[in-house]
Structure formats: structure tokens, C-alpha cells
Amino acid sequence: MNPSTLIGMVASFFLLAIVLFFAADDPRQYVDWPSLGIVLGGTLAATFLSYPLKEVFRVFGLIATVMRNERMYTRNDINELVLISKLWIKGDLHAVERALENVTNPFLRTGVQLVIDQTKEEDILDLMQWRILRLRAREAAEAQLFRVMASFAPAFGMIGTLVGLINLMSLLGGGDLRAIGQQLAVALMTTFYGILLANLVFKPVAVKLERRTEARVVLMNMVLQGISMMCERRSPALMRETLNSFVEHHQNEIFDGRAPGKNGEESSLAPQSNG
């Protein structure tokens, strides 16, 4: 599991435990199934109305994605690019093709294959930039789905509050304190559930997905730069230093000042790009 996600989950449960067991006389009063049903049911209904069915069903897979401790192997990609560039400069096409078979990054593999096929550099860069834009747009839409759900949840919490208050008003004349208390609980708990789901589930997942996309885009742009240098038959040593500098330039923006893995080889914020 992603360490930061695990820490966030533990902190969230700890916070709720404090609220339930130390700030309330009876923790069971925070469990109200009708209120939870109004918020979850309303949020899901509005989401199904807003998005195609197949996109809504991807919600569960995306949650699993942010839970995983995914890695991107930046150092491996740099080493593979430098090795292939050396073989390419030597003119050993068969060795390049053999090395290409061991490349696990499909975005890198596509770029190298286009270079081998003698495709014009501008055409290669246009195609690879289009793939980066496509990935960014697709994953931005995935994050936006959770941001939309985060806006729906508090709204349906307010709807539940209005329902509870309306029912409460109709019971005031009867003097049934138990029924009045139940309706007041629905009125308050729906807002509580809506805010809780929006700020502890939907928004954090959206932010995680956005950060994941930025890390993937940085890796893809690094590969793009390497392919461009390979097309120009630039020195492999210069390529290595350029790509290392390219990654280091973006680390402060992507990794929040946290030290990278051993020898800079791995990061837990993004997987290897799949183009």
C-alpha cells in the first residue's frame, strides 16, 4: 500500500475514534443508516446522471490505484535510452532491436521504434507529445470525477438536513420526543456524512490522481527529450547528464522535498508510464 495513503487512513480513523469515543456520550449516535443512505445514494445517483456508465464503474479501480504503492523506474529508463543510443550511433541496428525487446516502458519503446524506422524527428515528437496530452486529458478527467463527487456529497447532506427538518416540524405538535430526536439526528448526520465523505475520501483521491499524473508526465517528457537527442545522434554521455538534470529539475515540484529512493532509482508516486 502507498505509505502516505496508509498514514492518511490511520490518521482519519484515529480522528474519528477520538470524536466517537471521547467527544460523545454514546458513539452509536454517530451511526445513522438513513442519513448515510441519503448521502451515498444521492451522490451515486447524481454521478450516474453526470457520467457514462463505464466511467462511473472505474471509480473502484481508481481508488485501488491510489492505494497501491506504484513506482516509476526513472533510472532504468535513462539507462535503457543511453544504451540504445550508443548502439544506434555505432550503427548496430540488430543490437538496437535486441535491446528494444527488453524495454518495458511502452512509451519509450514506441519512440525508439520510430527512430529505427527512420521517421522524421518532428513527426516522432508530434506523435509522442500527442500521447502525453492524451494521457494528461484522460487522467485529468478521472480526477475530475472524484472532485464532482466531492461537490455532490455535501449537497445531498444538506438535502438530508432539509428532509429531517421538514419531518421534525411535522412532529413538533405531537410531543413524541423520541421521533423528534430521530428526525433531528437525520437532519444533522446527513450534513456530517456529506462533509466527511467529501473531505476524507473524494477530494484526497482526486489530489492523489492529479499528483500521479504529473509524475507520469514528467517521466514521459524525459523520455521525449531522450528520443529527440537520439534522433540528433547526440553523445550518450551528454544524454545521460541531460536526462538526470531533467528529472532533478522537477523533483522539488513533484516530490515535496522528500528524498528519492536509493540512487534515485525509484519513487512511490507514479508507476512506469504506459503511454
Side-chain angles (χ1 to χ4, degrees):
M1 177 180 287
N2 189 304
S4 64
T5 302
L6 179 60
I7 293 172
M9 291 175 62
V10 171
S12 299
F13 284 122
F14 183 70
L15 173 63
L16 291 176
I18 292 176
V19 172
L20 293 177
F21 293 102
F22 296 100
D25 294 332
D26 184 4
R28 291 176 298 179
Q29 68 186 3
Y30 283 88
V31 179
D32 189 85
W33 297 113
S35 298
L36 185 60
I38 290 172
V39 175
L40 281 179
T43 300
L44 288 175
T47 304
F48 276 110
L49 286 171
S50 303
Y51 287 89
L53 188 63
K54 64 179 181 179
E55 292 188 28
V56 178
F57 282 151
R58 295 183 63 187
V59 165
F60 303 103
L62 293 173
I63 292 177
T65 295
V66 301
M67 298 286 287
R68 290 196 300 267
N69 186 24
E70 295 184 323
R71 302 177 184 273
M72 68 175 181
Y73 298 93
T74 306
R75 183 62 57 191
N76 289 348
D77 288 339
I78 292 176
N79 290 337
E80 288 172 345
L81 268 170
V82 171
L83 172 63
I84 293 174
S85 180
K86 289 179 180 178
L87 298 174
W88 177 248
I89 290 176
K90 291 179 180 178
D92 192 346
L93 183 59
H94 293 296
V96 172
E97 292 176 342
R98 288 194 300 271
L100 187 59
E101 294 176 356
N102 297 322
V103 173
T104 57
N105 186 332
F107 186 71
L108 191 158
R109 189 167 57 245
T110 298
V112 173
Q113 186 62 58
L114 290 172
V115 174
I116 294 175
D117 294 340
Q118 302 292 331
T119 307
K120 293 182 180 179
E121 179 182 357
E122 56 267 27
D123 293 337
I124 296 175
L125 298 184
D126 286 344
L127 174 61
M128 298 182 74
Q129 287 170 349
W130 176 80
R131 291 185 64 174
I132 293 173
L133 291 174
R134 187 183 64 177
L135 177 136
R136 185 189 289 272
R138 183 180 69 248
E139 296 192 355
E142 294 172 349
Q144 181 63 21
L145 171 61
F146 284 93
R147 291 200 175 275
V148 169
M149 294 177 72
S151 67
F152 286 151
F156 280 98
M158 290 302 299
I159 291 174
T161 297
L162 294 176
V163 170
L165 291 177
I166 292 170
N167 293 336
L168 176 61
M169 294 303 170
S170 67
L171 294 172
L172 285 179
D176 187 348
L177 295 181
R178 180 179 178 82
I180 291 174
Q182 289 176 343
Q183 296 303 322
L184 185 60
V186 172
L188 297 178
M189 291 305 297
T190 49
T191 298
F192 174 75
Y193 286 142
I195 295 174
L196 197 67
L197 286 172
N199 292 284
L200 277 182
V201 179
F202 300 137
K203 285 183 180 179
V205 170
V207 172
K208 279 279 189 181
L209 290 173
E210 289 166 352
R211 299 283 288 177
R212 174 177 178 265
T213 298
E214 290 304 313
R216 284 156 62 86
V217 168
V218 167
L219 175 58
M220 295 174 77
N221 278 315
M222 182 205 72
V223 172
L224 179 65
Q225 179 66 30
I227 294 298
S228 176
M229 296 182 73
M230 182 177 171
C231 289
E232 297 171 1
R233 296 181 179 271
R234 307 292 288 273
S235 164
L238 176 62
M239 176 187 289
R240 183 184 296 277
E241 291 302 318
T242 301
L243 298 186
N244 284 332
S245 300
F246 187 95
V247 174
E248 291 171 2
H249 175 73
H250 289 277
Q251 278 182 346
N252 289 336
E253 302 174 11
I254 296 298
F255 301 115
D256 293 328
R258 185 162 55 86
K262 183 178 179 182
N263 297 325
E265 293 183 1
E266 298 177 350
S267 165
S268 61
L269 287 180
Q272 184 168 331
S273 169
N274 59 9

